[in-house]
Amino acid sequence: MTITWTMVMDFSATFAVTTGPWNHSYRALVERRECVIAIPTVDMIDTAVAIGTCSGKNVDKFDRFALTPVNARHIGAPLILECLANIECKVIDIVERHSIVVLQGVAAYIDETREEKRMIHAIGDGTFVADGRRIRP
C-alpha cells in the first residue's frame, strides 16, 4: 500500500502509520502482524501514487507496477528492490480508536548504489515535497 502518514515514535525503530478497517492493507496488518516500509524516491512518484489508487485485494501490485519482490530476512512480507530503502517491521500495537498501527523495525536496508536518493514526502493535499521543493504528479 502507499501510505502518506507515518511517524517515528522515539529514538528506537518504532513507527506509527494510520489506516483503518476500510483498507485491505489494514486487514493484512491485523492478520499477519508484519509489513515492510519501503521508501521510494522522486523517480518513483508516479508509481507510488498509482499504487495508492488501487487495492491489493483486486490487484497484484508487484506485477502491475513491475516491482521486484525480495525475500526479507525476519518476516514474510517482501522488500521492494526498486526502493531506496526497506525496513522490515512487526506490528506491536494497534490503536483502533485512532486507526493507528504501531510498528517495530527489526531490520533495515539501503541501496547505496541507487543514483536517485531524493525521497518524496506527502503533504496531504495531493502534493509532495522532495528536498524542499513541491511536486504535483
Side-chain angles (χ1 to χ4, degrees), residues 24-34 91 94:
H24 173 71
S25 296
Y26 176 84
R27 290 189 296 279
L29 287 166
V30 169
E31 290 172 16
R32 296 188 185 125
R33 311 288 297 180
E34 62 183 23
V91 174
I94 297 175

Side-chain angles (χ1 to χ4, degrees), residues 53-107:
T53 63
C54 63
S55 173
K57 182 177 180 180
N58 309 313
V59 173
D60 177 337
K61 295 183 184 189
F62 280 94
D63 185 50
R64 177 172 286 176
F65 300 104
L67 298 171
T68 309
V70 176
N71 289 337
R73 291 189 180 139
H74 304 282
I75 64 172
L79 311 175
I80 300 176
L81 179 68
E82 291 76 12
C83 285
L84 173 65
N86 288 269
I87 305 168
E88 295 182 39
C89 297
K90 294 189 178 188
V91 174
I92 58 172
D93 196 9
I94 297 175
V95 184
E96 290 183 26
R97 179 175 178 212
H98 299 290
S99 299
I100 294 173
V101 179
V102 182
L103 307 169
Q104 181 65 55
V106 296

